[in-house]
Amino acid sequence: MMTTQNIFFALTALTTGLMAGLFFAFSYSVNPGLGNLSDAEYIGAMQSINRAIQNPVFFSVFFGAIILLPLTTYFHYSKINSKPFLFLLIAAIVYLIGVFGVTIFGNIPLNELLDKFNLHSASQEALTVQRTIFQERWNNLNAIRTFSSAVAFLLVVIAYAYDRAQ
């Protein structure tokens, strides 16, 4: 039966899974591909990607997971000692810290720094320095987001399985 709780479970799994997929794709295809570019090409591509990703669809999914994870957890609060509640609570904490926190306090400041960099007037030395400052740190932070969102997604799926078994 399709209940409000099931709808929230499905939307939570969808948004969390989409974010895990996005970060995974960046980690294992986009970033390695960009890594093969020259400094100027790399910086230009990342500037373009960082601007393009700021759109209503991305924000709906990114913030949707941030809202839906705690909300779906709350719907299971009456069963506070239940496995679905505990898995959802851990998923929400992992996502809020490992995805939202890392994005807000790590990736976004790096993106803003890169966005202010004038690609067209920079010397080769300045391009190399900027890429060095940005690339490894951004990729490491994205690896944290990839792991955290994948764990959160898996925990949501496990919570749903336990919820169905009860």
Side-chain angles (χ1 to χ4, degrees):
M1 178 166 81
M2 190 55 81
T3 64
T4 302
Q5 188 172 349
N6 288 342
I7 292 169
F8 275 93
F9 249 129
L11 291 173
T12 301
L14 177 64
T15 56
T16 308
L18 286 171
M19 292 310 303
L22 174 73
F23 296 133
F24 179 86
F26 260 89
S27 290
Y28 295 101
S29 63
V30 175
N31 291 340
L34 292 174
N36 295 326
L37 299 175
S38 70
D39 294 341
E41 291 169 327
Y42 174 85
I43 291 170
M46 284 303 291
Q47 286 175 331
S48 181
I49 290 168
N50 289 335
R51 291 174 188 144
I53 202 164
Q54 296 180 47
N55 65 71
V57 174
F58 171 77
F59 287 136
S60 295
V61 175
F62 181 76
F63 288 109
I66 292 167
I67 294 166
L68 289 166
L69 276 161
L71 195 55
T72 303
T73 303
Y74 175 76
F75 286 147
H76 288 80
Y77 182 72
S78 63
K79 307 174 214 169
I80 195 163
N81 291 323
S82 72
K83 288 184 180 179
F85 173 80
L86 294 174
F87 283 122
L88 288 167
L89 180 62
I90 295 167
I93 292 167
V94 167
Y95 192 91
L96 290 171
I97 294 169
V99 175
F100 182 69
V102 168
T103 299
I104 295 300
F105 298 110
N107 293 90
I108 288 177
L110 287 171
N111 293 347
E112 290 172 348
L113 182 66
L114 192 68
D115 193 54
K116 294 175 185 170
F117 183 77
N118 187 336
L119 176 65
H120 304 293
S121 67
S123 67
Q124 181 56 49
E125 182 182 339
L127 289 167
T128 301
V129 168
Q130 184 63 38
R131 181 176 183 164
T132 302
I133 291 169
F134 181 86
Q135 185 177 9
E136 185 177 351
R137 181 141 190 253
W138 196 95
N139 288 348
N140 289 340
L141 291 168
N142 193 66
I144 295 168
R145 299 187 304 179
T146 302
F147 178 78
S148 298
S149 59
V151 167
F153 174 68
L154 182 60
L155 290 169
V156 170
V157 171
I158 292 169
Y160 182 76
Y162 273 109
D163 191 62
R164 296 286 45 109
Q166 291 182 348

